[in-house]
Amino acid sequence: MAQVVVVTGAASGIGAAVARHFGGLGAHVVVADIDKAGGEAVAKEVGGLFVRTDTTREADNLALIATAVETYGGLDLVHLNAGVGDGGGFAEDDYDTERQHRVLAVNLHGVMFGLHAALPALAAHGGGSLVVTSSMAGASAATFDPVYAATKHGVIGLVRSLAPTWQEKGVRINAICPGFVRTSLLPAETVDYLVGEGFAVAQPAEIAASVAEIAAGEEAGRAYVLQAGRAPDPVSFPKFELVRTGA
């Protein structure tokens, strides 16, 4: 039976590449994006279904998952990939509350809404995999966009905190932390600069292949750094034990 795969932010970039990857494997792909024209084009290309989705609205997330289940009878994989950058900094000439709220709404609240909608549906179908797009900025400092970095750190915290409970219900939750990727988040001049400086810039298709590999695995609660030409590299987090009285 063909897999049922939902991908948010799938009208372009990594999301579109993931949709194409699974479409090529014969999956039923549900393409979700706020960009109607782009999303419909990708859905047509992969023989899937487009559902216009504003991930910052909880109702849209619930409707997306409900539509996927009603149309195809279940759910196997959800990739919560939608994201934006440029939350600004904290200097007087770069502090913008509206920009901050937008990045928080898409990158963090949108993921929360997506998790809330998708996790019970995956469990009800007998389990499956959920992958969230974080960033290398979620596992390290990112002075160029601290608000973006904060949301991506938050995404990893969600994944690590939710994974144990939902793994018991058959749902594996993991995060990907891409490095430099040729998407609309990186202007062409930035890509040219990075390549000129000798940095590797991945193609979205390469990231999509890694998403498929992670989704098919047995691990849960992991965050994987994805860089051009390298296998998924799990992030090592420190382990702490609570101090007991008298210890």
Side-chain angles (χ1 to χ4, degrees), residues 167 172 174 213-222 224:
Q167 189 172 19
R172 302 177 308 281
N174 291 287
E213 178 182 342
I214 292 164
E218 296 300 321
E219 295 291 335
R222 305 300 296 268
Y224 295 89

Side-chain angles (χ1 to χ4, degrees), residues 134-146 148-150 152-153 156 177-178 225 235 237:
S134 179
S135 167
M136 280 185 66
S140 60
T143 57
F144 59 90
D145 197 342
Y148 174 81
K152 294 305 187 178
H153 275 76
I156 291 175
C177 303
V225 172
V235 178
F237 294 98

